[in-house]
Amino acid sequence: MEEIGSSWLPSAPEIAELFSLVEREHSARQESREAVYDRTLKERVASGLAVEGLRFEGEVREGKETALVFNAERNDSRFRPGTRLRLSRGDPRKAVARLELLSDRFDGKLYRFRLSGAVEDPRALDTAESWVLDEDLFDLLETQVALLRAAEKVGLSGWLAGSEPSAREKQGPVRSAFMEGLEGTMRKAFEGAVSARNWFAVQGPPGTGKTHLLARLALHYAVEENARVMVGAVSHQAIHNALGEAYCVGRRMQPIPGLQDLLADGFYKLGASRGHNEGLPEGVRAVARLSLKRRPVIVGATVYAAAHLAGGLSSKKAPYDAALFDEAGQATLVLALGARLLGEKAVFIGDDAQLPPIVELPSEEERDPRAKASVMAHLRQRYGEPLMLAESRRLNAGLCAVVSDCFYGGRLGSTPEAAARALKLAKRPRPEFEAILDPEKPFVFLDVPHEDCRSSSEREALWAAAIVLEAVRCGVPAQEVGVIAPYRAQCNRIRFLLDNPRVGRSQDLGGGTSSGYPSVVCSTVERFQGQEREMVVISLTSSKPAYLWRLAGFLFDPNRLNVALSRARTKAVLIGSRKALSGAAESAEADSPQAAGFQAFLKLLSRAHGVDGRKGPPQATSSAAGEEPALPLGAACFEPGEAVEHAKYGAGMVLTKSIQVFDGVSEWVNEVRFADGRTRLVIPRLSETPMKRLS
């Protein structure tokens, strides 16, 4: 990146506003991190910002790289692969090493952490005294300011101001082999993006296929325009999902000149971070650098990584022909400017009715709408409504009607195939669960009265676990059930009950296998964005009036409610204390900052089928040991723990088995760690070089 002079100040008012914003956010992050380090270790661990009690197991050779392995009895952290960490005895300001998390896995007894980083003598880590991991601060200010400086130099302030429309003055018909099968607003969006002058924006509500659209566009530009294509997003996982979708779409397409060559050696993930490259889809190669002359290619990268490796971005010639940005509803304007600088054309695909950008600002600025404005919201304000994908391929008719009415002004509908879907049960639910799991009632509110609960509710946790167990007993695959709660404490409790189904504070939830249902994902809304499940159970948890009011902007945020509900294809079960929740919502002033959220929640309640949960969940039963509900998928997966061999990647160990949707089709997916230390996602049915079990 270009060097920054400390005296540089932007002259364009639009750039100056962003410059001021990133400086204030930088200061807020620094102050927040220092405040975290001032807290006690117990407080940091409880907040998910640290892990204590780590023991060093040793250094492991993985191909040409090494990894440091630690174990701990407990891990309630929010750390993900790629998180930068400080290793210390408890004071992060006195860290003995700065490391990067590669993975953390629970083996049934301990959590095992693989870490990379420089340690002068790893043997010195093997001591009787335990270690602590704290989250480190990653400073992006210099890169952000460099992007703003380059954007001003090439004249992008006009785009921010609203003086650069996207459409061409003259357009001819768009012809592309990659339009085959696209209909309705999906086809219009493809045509609009291809024919646009320098940029284009598409709003993609839940399940409308925005990542599929991005995949089709990426393949079109690369194959039919011999282009260098960058695929970006806010998170590395979203980039991996987009690359995986593009690769799977390409594999399913009929023979097209140039496509097979691209699939064989044209998909890359850019960046040197080992942790951020964990879980790459099969067919995508991780590289630290890539020649700027190579074409055609589809390259996944964050804006910051791509900008750093491209060098200066203040010239008129961008390093990529097209920059496609997925999940653009979470992209700040600084990231959007980066995408414009990196691509001759930038296409933003996202939804500002879902989760907004994550920013950290002083409390007095948190309510300023400009502070958390995404590029989608900004373009809507400056250039009018973006083209909206109006057909959901995920939500059935009942769920789509609720989501459309509450969050999209009635403009969203389901495709005929999706509209007709209903929850499929192999067995009839027991009487206490009949109304909850009734396929004819896609949206249910289970009223579980309680009071004075803050970030955890035992009654709701027991119900959530019981519903999951009953759904699985009735034939819903465990991988197709998701549980969402707003707080980490509630997620941990529900996860514990699912992993230990015989354990319950007030009653026995067990029966059947003692291993529970670890394949049921239980997490916060943030971790679920971009995912989907056949059935979703949502625990709202809180019932203490003062707590509800203090966190109303978080708990009742329309964007968060939208994301939580719209993860489901056929069934969503909302659990909460109706009296406490509706009481808080109905007492809100019409002009209060929380009014929109309260109104959205009350509207949701009015659309849900109510079920009385006062008696508490009955004793649950589960499938017989080893029994797994069948799914109509083309091929089975390998089981976690199995040793396998891949013709391209060599020997490996299966870590997980899951169901994911690619190109609109549910597929079994294995996550496999191979001998080179890399973790890759492999779809057995589509794998060009099939895996086999090792005896």
Side-chain angles (χ1 to χ4, degrees), residues 222-237:
V223 175
E224 301 206 358
E225 299 188 16
N226 192 38
R228 290 174 50 79
V229 183
M230 190 197 99
V231 173
V234 173
S235 71
H236 289 270
Q237 187 58 54

Side-chain angles (χ1 to χ4, degrees), residues 407 540 555-565 597 600-601 604:
F407 306 110
L540 293 173
L555 189 61
F556 297 103
D557 177 65
N559 296 52
R560 294 174 61 82
L561 292 172
N562 180 21
V563 172
L565 180 61
F601 176 72
L604 282 178

Side-chain angles (χ1 to χ4, degrees), residues 98-259:
R98 303 287 181 90
L99 305 171
E100 179 187 36
L101 180 64
L102 299 178
S103 68
D104 60 318
R105 300 282 178 186
F106 183 63
D107 65 6
K109 295 181 179 180
L110 295 171
Y111 290 91
R112 283 190 159 78
F113 299 80
R114 291 170 55 244
L115 303 159
S116 68
V119 176
E120 185 174 344
D121 183 9
R123 292 173 298 179
L125 301 175
D126 190 8
T127 65
E129 192 175 354
S130 63
W131 296 95
V132 174
L133 285 173
D134 280 271
E135 191 169 3
D136 200 1
L137 181 65
F138 187 45
D139 189 359
L140 291 170
L141 179 64
E142 184 174 337
T143 305
Q144 291 173 323
V145 174
L147 289 174
L148 292 175
R149 189 175 186 179
E152 183 174 70
K153 186 174 181 179
V154 302
L156 286 177
S157 57
W159 178 61
L160 294 176
S163 60
E164 186 188 340
S166 66
R168 291 186 187 275
E169 294 179 2
K170 296 181 180 180
Q171 298 182 22
V174 174
R175 294 184 175 87
S176 173
F178 295 96
M179 290 173 59
E180 182 182 349
L182 297 184
E183 299 178 348
T185 53
M186 181 78 82
R187 188 178 185 89
K188 290 180 181 178
F190 186 97
E191 293 173 336
V194 171
S195 61
R197 182 186 292 116
N198 296 318
W199 66 274
F200 195 70
V202 180
Q203 183 183 9
T208 52
K210 54 183 178 293
T211 304
H212 183 78
L213 172 65
L214 183 148
R216 294 277 194 134
L217 288 170
L219 293 167
H220 164 82
Y221 288 126
V223 175
E224 301 206 358
E225 299 188 16
N226 192 38
R228 290 174 50 79
V229 183
M230 190 197 99
V231 173
V234 173
S235 71
H236 289 270
Q237 187 58 54
I239 294 172
H240 295 182
N241 292 344
L243 291 173
E245 180 76 5
Y247 187 79
C248 284
V249 171
R251 288 290 307 276
R252 287 198 174 100
M253 298 290 289
Q254 295 297 319
I256 297 171
L259 178 58

Side-chain angles (χ1 to χ4, degrees), residues 302-342:
T302 64
V303 163
Y304 298 131
H308 176 74
L309 294 172
L313 292 176
S314 55
S315 65
K316 291 291 183 180
K317 180 63 177 176
Y320 295 92
D321 301 291
L324 311 180
F325 205 106
D326 201 11
E327 301 287 5
Q330 292 184 289
T332 63
L333 285 174
V334 175
L335 286 175
L337 288 173
R340 290 294 316 268
L341 290 165
L342 287 161

Side-chain angles (χ1 to χ4, degrees), residues 602-624:
L602 290 174
K603 196 169 187 178
L604 282 178
L605 275 186
S606 70
R607 300 294 299 270
H609 174 77
V611 177
D612 189 347
R614 285 178 295 178
K615 293 183 179 180
Q619 180 181 9
T621 61
S622 58
S623 301

Side-chain angles (χ1 to χ4, degrees), residues 45 61 97 140 244 378 393 404 415 468 531 542 591 664 676:
V45 170
R61 189 75 181 175
L140 291 170
H378 175 81
R393 291 152 178 80
S404 178
T415 63
V468 170
Q531 299 187 47
S542 301
D591 58 351
D676 62 0

Side-chain angles (χ1 to χ4, degrees), residues 410-431:
R411 295 184 295 155
L412 182 65
S414 293
T415 63
E417 180 184 8
R421 292 193 191 116
L423 187 68
K424 294 181 179 179
L425 302 177
K427 299 177 182 178
R428 182 174 180 175
R430 289 177 294 150

